Amino acid sequence: MKREQIEKAAKEAVQDHFQCNGKYPCEERDYCEFCNGHNSAFDCKEDCGADDFNEGFFVGAQWRINAVWHKPSAYGEELTRNVAVVAKTKRGYRFGKFDVVGYSNEYIGFVSTSSLEYALSDVLEYAYLDDLLPERKEETE
């Protein structure tokens, strides 16, 4: 997700939460950056919390994007094996899983869907596929 997309989503969330153009339109909406203007919400109306809401939304979105990525340990203790992951390797992004490879049960490597095996040291960071997929509440209820 790009910064511009997060900023647009944050603006929409502010408008929805504070009902800027809805049931309770703000009398300052011609000036406020979340509606039609270029002023911060605080500059338009000191008791408006839209600036803080926007900041929290943006920081939360950035945290969520970055929180799913993990650095592999040298010994692989924290790795969940046989679970789909997207891995950033020294050769680009790959889809696959961590598994025991080679002749020793002590060697954990990354096996991509193209049947290529990589040493764990080739994996720069990884994310579990389940952590990248959106939660679908309507599917779970």
Side-chain angles (χ1 to χ4, degrees):
M1 182 171 262
K2 294 184 167 100
R3 181 177 181 89
E4 295 82 24
Q5 292 171 305
I6 297 172
E7 289 172 353
K8 181 181 178 198
K11 183 176 179 178
E12 291 171 0
V14 166
Q15 290 174 349
D16 183 51
H17 181 76
F18 289 96
Q19 297 286 310
C20 298
N21 294 315
K23 188 174 182 180
Y24 306 105
C26 176
E27 62 272 1
E28 302 293 337
R29 68 180 181 264
D30 289 336
Y31 308 104
C32 179
E33 68 180 320
F34 299 110
C35 295
N36 302 320
H38 299 286
N39 293 343
S40 72
F42 181 81
D43 290 339
C44 296
K45 191 174 180 183
E46 289 184 12
D47 64 343
C48 181
D51 292 327
D52 292 334
F53 185 96
N54 181 64
E55 179 75 16
F57 185 98
F58 190 81
V59 169
Q62 289 287 17
W63 174 86
R64 176 64 178 101
I65 290 167
N66 295 323
V68 298
W69 292 95
H70 310 283
K71 302 276 186 206
S73 75
Y75 301 103
E77 302 102 8
E78 84 240 17
L79 302 175
T80 302
R81 293 185 2 213
N82 294 317
V83 175
V85 296
V86 175
K88 181 179 180 183
T89 71
K90 294 176 181 175
R91 298 180 190 133
Y93 286 93
R94 302 283 187 251
F95 177 79
K97 61 184 179 174
F98 295 106
D99 202 356
V100 174
V101 293
Y103 298 106
S104 169
N105 283 347
E106 296 178 10
Y107 174 65
I108 295 176
F110 175 71
V111 182
S112 76
T113 55
S114 61
S115 299
L116 295 174
E117 295 177 2
Y118 298 94
L120 191 58
S121 60
D122 287 337
V123 177
L124 304 173
E125 58 185 353
Y126 65 95
Y128 295 107
L129 185 60
D130 284 346
D131 291 343
L132 297 174
L133 298 175
E135 288 185 23
R136 301 276 188 212
K137 291 181 182 177
E138 63 275 4
E139 292 176 6
T140 59
E141 293 178 358

